[in-house]
Amino acid sequence: MTSNLSQILVLGGTGKTGRRVAEALRRSGVTPRVASRRSATRFDWTDRATWEPALTGMEAVYIVDSMGPEAPAEIADFSALAARTGVRRLVYLSGRPYGEIGGAWWMRIEEAVKASGLEWTILRPSWFAQNFTEELGMFGSLWDTGELALPTGNGREAFIDLEDLAEVAAVVLTRQGHAGRIYVLSGPRSLSFGDAVAELAKASGRPLRFVPISLDAHRAEFTAAGYPDHMVDDLHDLYEHISEERGAEPVDGVHEVLGRAPRDFSDYVSRTDFTRL
């Protein structure tokens, strides 16, 4: 059994999950190597010359993939290189499998991680609570116009607080006993998007509202905005997953790793600085 590790590479280390993983590692007494396109250790999935310098001397790696069509092949090649450079453990941030497109894509990446010959752990989180207030993307309209329109109906999701995900990642990166495990992570309570927006409205004092729309209406809007059909199809798989409540039930992955209950959505809301939105 591999002993606890301390030389940790965090990919996407300045991003939404990576920076929190790096912070959690520091709190545990480990100084990680933070790698991204804009950090001192540069890492870019599209520039393979950046891979080996980031990996050299590392024992474990937190992997966030490129989210592009080449991601399964990239992860396979990166994992092989990691093994050659002496890495012993990989922790991959995956997602809950959904639909034909998203599910198959994530499964291909997970299989590449498993085939590396290294210790591996896979994290499958629910939707991030912080998606409502950070790197907004499709949620930007909530703060721009006060309205979030999605084809999720009254479907519920047990949103996970990224602080919990980061603490879980820090533990499985550094401590033994998690090799070959897949941890499904969620918050302790299922909410619809309407419920979540109502909590954000109350805490922020803003007149925010959620508007359920049809898949056809959503497709028309995104197609008009220039999104390709394959991307819209993937989103619709995800929205149907939520509207049909295929992942609504809270799970115990956070408790399995940390020995405590996950943070509630209300904890995330209470910590949010709404003045910057």
Side-chain angles (χ1 to χ4, degrees):
M1 182 177 289
T2 302
S3 61
N4 294 354
L5 305 183
S6 61
Q7 302 301 312
I8 314 295
L9 172 65
V10 178
L11 299 186
T14 58
K16 192 185 295 186
T17 70
R19 64 182 173 82
R20 288 181 167 90
V21 172
E23 289 165 4
L25 287 166
R26 293 185 191 106
R27 289 196 298 270
S28 72
V30 172
T31 301
R33 177 180 292 172
V34 171
S36 72
R37 283 176 293 185
R38 59 180 185 272
S39 61
T41 297
R42 186 171 175 273
F43 183 89
D44 187 339
W45 283 112
T46 65
D47 182 0
R48 294 189 175 219
T50 66
W51 294 11
E52 188 165 354
L55 283 166
T56 300
M58 296 293 99
E59 297 175 303
V61 185
Y62 173 74
I63 301 176
V64 178
D65 63 73
S66 66
M67 298 296 290
E70 300 302 316
E74 290 167 347
I75 296 296
D77 292 346
F78 178 83
S79 298
L81 178 61
R84 293 197 299 273
T85 58
V87 170
R88 298 155 68 183
R89 183 177 300 164
L90 302 177
V91 175
Y92 171 57
L93 179 64
S94 185
R96 293 201 192 186
Y98 63 88
E100 247 177 75
I101 301 173
W105 182 78
W106 262 320
M107 291 303 96
R108 286 173 60 201
I109 298 177
E110 289 187 8
E111 289 306 314
V113 172
K114 293 176 184 178
S116 67
L118 304 175
E119 287 186 13
W120 56 264
T121 306
I122 291 169
L123 307 181
R124 292 181 182 169
S126 59
W127 270 47
F128 306 156
Q130 281 80 357
N131 282 346
F132 287 98
T133 51
E134 296 181 18
E135 299 175 26
L136 292 169
M138 70 186 80
F139 288 179
S141 65
L142 180 62
W143 304 100
D144 293 338
T145 69
E147 184 174 291
L148 179 63
L150 293 174
T152 55
N154 293 317
R156 296 169 301 141
E157 179 80 358
F159 300 101
I160 187 167
D161 192 317
L162 286 183
E163 297 301 327
D164 284 339
L165 186 148
E167 288 183 25
V168 167
V171 167
V172 301
L173 281 163
T174 57
R175 301 182 192 171
Q176 59 187 342
H178 302 282
R181 297 293 303 273
I182 297 175
Y183 291 112
V184 183
L185 309 173
S186 80
R189 179 169 56 111
S190 295
L191 298 86
S192 69
F193 278 77
D195 295 334
V197 169
E199 290 199 28
L200 291 164
K202 182 177 180 181
S204 66
R206 301 187 193 184
L208 309 175
R209 70 186 189 115
F210 172 71
V211 180
I213 59 174
S214 69
L215 288 170
D216 286 343
H218 181 268
R219 179 177 293 279
E221 177 185 345
F222 270 57
T223 300
Y227 287 86
D229 286 343
H230 72 85
M231 185 178 294
V232 178
D233 289 340
D234 195 11
L235 285 172
H236 283 190
D237 273 352
L238 177 55
Y239 293 142
E240 284 184 322
H241 178 87
I242 293 170
S243 65
E244 295 172 5
E245 300 202 323
R246 284 181 249 153
E249 289 304 310
V251 291
D252 61 359
V254 171
H255 188 274
E256 281 185 79
V257 179
L258 302 181
R260 63 160 176 82
R263 294 172 172 88
D264 191 75
F265 188 82
S266 60
D267 295 329
Y268 143 73
V269 172
S270 69
R271 300 195 313 271
T272 298
D273 177 10
F274 295 102
T275 61
R276 61 181 178 77
L277 295 167

